[in-house]
Amino acid sequence: MPRYLWFYGPPPQNQKFEEERTRVGCPREIKNHEYRVGLTPGSVREYVAHGHEVLVETGAGAGIGADDNAYRAAGATIAKTAADVFAKSDMIVKVKEPQPNE
């Protein structure tokens, strides 16, 4: 099924626009001295409000003071490992590029 992304206004009248549910994954950052996180609980809430599923690795938000419960409250599912996040997600959101061991 084709996927269309429109940045300026609605799709043309002669084309169908179908929304798909996307599984968005956010693993914990593993580079030294990297305390940022790809998704905050607020951004998780936005994805969920728009019908998407969000999977966050446990401890991903520790560097910004957001625990797993904050992500759960925003609607995310907490994964035990980064491997689970990568395996079960359609799209990955990270601050830094994926490392070879990921």
Side-chain angles (χ1 to χ4, degrees):
M1 175 180 317
R3 184 174 228 171
Y4 299 100
L5 183 61
W6 300 96
F7 295 100
Y8 302 104
Q13 294 298 326
N14 61 348
Q15 287 186 327
K16 272 185 147 180
F17 179 74
E18 297 178 22
E19 289 188 30
E20 286 185 26
R21 177 178 221 134
T22 301
R23 277 170 271 152
V24 180
C26 181
R28 185 173 47 87
E29 296 294 330
I30 61 171
K31 284 191 104 169
N32 285 337
H33 306 294
E34 182 57 74
Y35 304 105
R36 298 173 294 175
V37 63
L39 295 174
T40 64
S43 56
V44 167
R45 193 173 302 109
E46 287 296 316
Y47 275 114
V48 172
H50 286 90
H52 303 292
E53 297 175 35
V54 181
L55 188 62
V56 177
E57 183 183 0
T58 188
I64 63 165
D67 64 5
D68 292 347
N69 289 330
Y71 284 99
R72 279 191 196 97
T77 302
I78 304 300
K80 290 183 180 183
T81 66
D84 288 341
V85 174
F86 281 101
K88 297 176 182 176
S89 300
D90 300 317
M91 178 177 82
I92 299 294
V93 179
K94 287 183 58 71
V95 174
K96 298 300 287 182
E97 70 281 355
Q99 301 302 298
N101 59 343
E102 290 183 302

